[in-house]
Amino acid sequence: MKTTFALTAFIMCTFMSHAQQEQQKQDLDTIVVASTRINLPFKENSRTINIISAEAIKNSAANNIADLLQQVAGIDVRRRGTAGSQADLYIRGGSFDQTLLLIDGVKMNDVQTGHHTMNAALPIEVIERIEIIKGPAARIFGQNAFNGAINIVTKKELNNTVSVKAETGSFGQLNAGVTIATDLENSSHIVHVDKMSSAGYRYNTDYDNSNFFVKSVFNKDKKAIEMIATFQERKFGANGFYARESGTDQYEETQNSLIAFSTQFKTENLTIKPRIYWKRNQDEYVYLRNDPTVYRNLHISNKIGAEVNGSYRSKAGITGFGIDMSEDFITSNNLGDRDRFMTTLFLEHKFKVLDDKLDITPGVAVTYFSDFDFYAFPGLDVGYKISDAVKAYGNIGYTYRIPTYTDLFYNDPSTAGNPDLEVEEAFAQEIGIKYFSPRFSGSVAIYNRDAQNLIDFIRPNTAETVYTATNITDVNTKGVEVDAAYNFKLNTFNQTLAVGYNFLEDDILNQNKELSRYSLNTLKHHFTTRLSTQLFKNVSHNIIYKHAQRTTGDSYNVWDASLVVNVKQLEFTVTASNIFNADYIEAGFVPMPPKNILFGMRYSLN
């Protein structure tokens, strides 16, 4: 571990010494974080926020969001298999139920279970950037943002473009997709369709995935109305994914869809953004793929919502406010037919004093749950601008999470829900410092979270095979996180070296590690590095390194790489994953794929 700290310190010191040598455009300066009510440039926020830009996505050697997010320190994506067929999303040691995913600000949480969060992940071709907000975010987004939130910002327009891709590689991978964009006189449209399939890297790990995406802006000359519609379908063999390791013939199909309409009313000082949306998820699971009569679950959940968010600028600062109302419905042969109504009120205000060097933003969210009464999530962000390049910040906040219907009511031969569960709650604190320059950006953050009643599935002893949903008494989580990115030039071409490190320690009192299904297998050490280089005009290379050590002691190192060659309107790619054939497991009993390679070609017509 001393080696990792020394390496990080050396890289940061080297970057700092060169930070003022050359002026080049820094994308972060122009990005306004869109996932909050008070829209601020990225560098002015007083929270730990990571931005994955479109350029970084292209240089990530990743073909889907699950693989991409693994390259961010503090983000733990526990995959079962490839192509994001089934993956769970964690931030700073929290559970998959405590992380909120948004698409253009629409909350994609599912009332059945957080296992479905990544079902809503979009193809990377339609993503403009990804905003990652770490730490307690309940006062900004509501109760599912227990440990943070990830907002996928989709592209607004691509002018008049047609792009076609085709890929093939190891394990019988066959991928194909088309993206069409048109900019008309009073409207613009983006349509994307793709299909990904594979025979699988071991028995019963095949998949057949489809993605459909439409984004349209109507009435552009007057009051623009934006529509987004998505549909993702996953069909995959689930060898050992759930239940027990001996369940080699499990199979699952999921469907996730969203349709949302939004607009904006704006005056000099007041901005109002109304939105309506409908989200649907369907999950079918069978224990024996060729004999569904042995054991089968079918869950269909629907979420209908309406929200209005706004901000008002005055001499006293900026006031953010909002209301979000939604109703969740579920029909399930295991969980029953249930519904839940929620209403959340948001209020925050940003003050600036000391010649605008000090900013203070108190805020609160108050939520009513039809089955869990009222809860409040207060919080406070404070930032101090030391110089144009350096900012110190800190935040504190309370956060809650109500149980999902799986926590409350699910039952199978190895799992038992608990209708008497209490609400999870926590008080979190964080301090940090950020540095920005045209060539270098970096941040260091120290965080602490004191939680009560966290929900885990527990068994009373190692001889017992049934895990029951239980509130753990007290949990303390603390950690430190470092991020840095250095941009430089070689032979007039841009190069980037990015590093990240997160150390996390969970102290779960009165809890035997061998008896927990989910909570304890967190990433204690997580180190990531990305080197993106270009030595020739039309050729670029990317090398990705990830080191992970979990609290169970499991440790692994994974190397990925990609090569991109551009020839006029053609783009050829070669992506190699797990180059050195690391043997590792991220979730449950599922070994990750050995080394594999994917060849691709893309043709774009403008």
Side-chain angles (χ1 to χ4, degrees), residues 96-97 110-116 241-244 250-252 283-287 294-300 330-338 340 403-421 455-458 465-470 517-518:
F96 51 81
D97 283 316
D110 189 85
V111 71
Q112 179 197 338
T113 174
H115 275 306
H116 294 318
F241 280 23
Y242 319 106
R244 52 183 62 87
Q250 299 173 85
Y251 176 76
E252 189 168 14
D283 173 33
E284 181 181 24
Y285 163 84
V286 296
Y287 186 70
V294 173
Y295 187 88
R296 174 181 177 269
N297 279 330
L298 177 62
H299 318 280
I300 301 174
I330 190 167
T331 300
S332 168
N333 66 332
N334 189 306
L335 305 172
D337 295 346
R338 305 178 188 279
R340 172 183 293 159
T404 64
Y405 285 143
T406 295
D407 295 331
L408 295 168
F409 305 114
Y410 187 80
N411 282 283
D412 67 23
S414 65
T415 308
N418 182 357
D420 297 321
L421 287 172
I455 298 169
D456 190 14
F457 283 81
I458 303 294
T465 59
V466 177
Y467 290 82
T468 302
T470 307
R517 175 175 285 181
Y518 295 120

Side-chain angles (χ1 to χ4, degrees), residues 221-512:
D221 293 344
K222 296 180 181 179
K223 183 56 61 184
I225 298 175
E226 183 176 283
M227 181 203 76
I228 181 171
T230 70
F231 178 81
Q232 296 87 22
E233 184 175 57
R234 312 277 186 260
K235 300 178 181 179
F236 51 93
N239 182 349
F241 280 23
Y242 319 106
R244 52 183 62 87
E245 188 175 6
S246 60
T248 58
D249 290 294
Q250 299 173 85
Y251 176 76
E252 189 168 14
E253 294 186 6
T254 66
Q255 293 179 351
N256 189 283
S257 58
L258 168 71
I259 184 167
F261 295 89
S262 61
T263 189
Q264 177 176 287
F265 301 92
K266 191 171 185 178
T267 64
E268 182 178 356
N269 297 320
L270 179 65
T271 301
I272 302 290
K273 300 178 181 179
R275 176 190 289 125
I276 57 173
Y277 60 93
W278 170 34
K279 174 190 172 297
R280 181 184 184 275
N281 190 82
Q282 179 173 306
D283 173 33
E284 181 181 24
Y285 163 84
V286 296
Y287 186 70
L288 295 180
R289 182 171 186 166
N290 296 321
D291 190 1
T293 61
V294 173
Y295 187 88
R296 174 181 177 269
N297 279 330
L298 177 62
H299 318 280
I300 301 174
S301 60
N302 287 275
K303 180 181 181 181
I304 300 173
E307 59 181 308
V308 178
N309 294 301
S311 63
Y312 180 75
R313 294 178 178 269
S314 66
K315 293 181 179 181
I318 308 174
T319 302
F321 54 90
I323 181 171
D324 182 357
M325 295 183 294
S326 63
E327 181 117 18
D328 288 297
F329 306 88
I330 190 167
T331 300
S332 168
N333 66 332
N334 189 306
L335 305 172
D337 295 346
R338 305 178 188 279
D339 65 275
R340 172 183 293 159
F341 176 76
M342 298 194 323
T343 300
T344 305
L345 299 174
F346 300 92
L347 182 65
E348 59 183 335
H349 186 83
K350 186 181 184 72
F351 302 90
K352 281 193 174 183
V353 295
L354 302 180
D355 295 326
D356 290 344
K357 290 186 176 181
L358 177 65
D359 60 80
I360 304 171
T361 309
V364 65
V366 179
T367 301
Y368 166 74
F369 304 97
S370 59
D371 51 350
F372 279 92
D373 212 355
F374 285 92
Y375 290 92
F377 322 112
L380 175 69
D381 301 339
V382 178
Y384 184 77
K385 187 178 180 181
I386 299 173
S387 69
D388 287 340
V390 181
K391 183 172 187 177
Y393 65 95
N395 52 73
I396 58 175
Y398 284 93
T399 188
Y400 295 80
R401 182 184 78 85
I402 61 173
T404 64
Y405 285 143
T406 295
D407 295 331
L408 295 168
F409 305 114
Y410 187 80
N411 282 283
D412 67 23
S414 65
T415 308
N418 182 357
D420 297 321
L421 287 172
E422 298 181 26
V423 171
E424 295 181 333
E425 54 187 273
F427 177 59
Q429 318 93 45
E430 179 178 14
I431 57 173
I433 188 166
K434 306 176 183 180
Y435 177 86
F436 299 92
S437 79
R439 294 193 67 182
F440 171 77
S441 62
S443 65
V444 179
I446 300 171
Y447 57 90
N448 181 77
R449 183 172 65 247
D450 297 300
Q452 296 179 330
N453 296 327
L454 291 189
I455 298 169
D456 190 14
F457 283 81
I458 303 294
R459 55 181 176 172
N461 54 67
T462 55
E464 178 61 60
T465 59
V466 177
Y467 290 82
T468 302
T470 307
N471 288 108
I472 302 173
T473 306
D474 296 300
V475 182
N476 174 258
T477 302
K478 58 176 67 73
V480 59
E481 187 172 288
V482 179
D483 279 294
Y486 179 51
N487 304 301
F488 59 100
K489 283 184 179 291
L490 287 176
N491 299 327
T492 72
F493 298 119
N494 294 327
Q495 325 289 327
T496 299
L497 177 62
V499 298
Y501 172 71
N502 185 76
F503 168 79
L504 182 146
E505 186 172 21
D506 273 329
D507 182 11
I508 300 184
L509 305 180
N510 303 318
Q511 188 63 41
N512 186 331

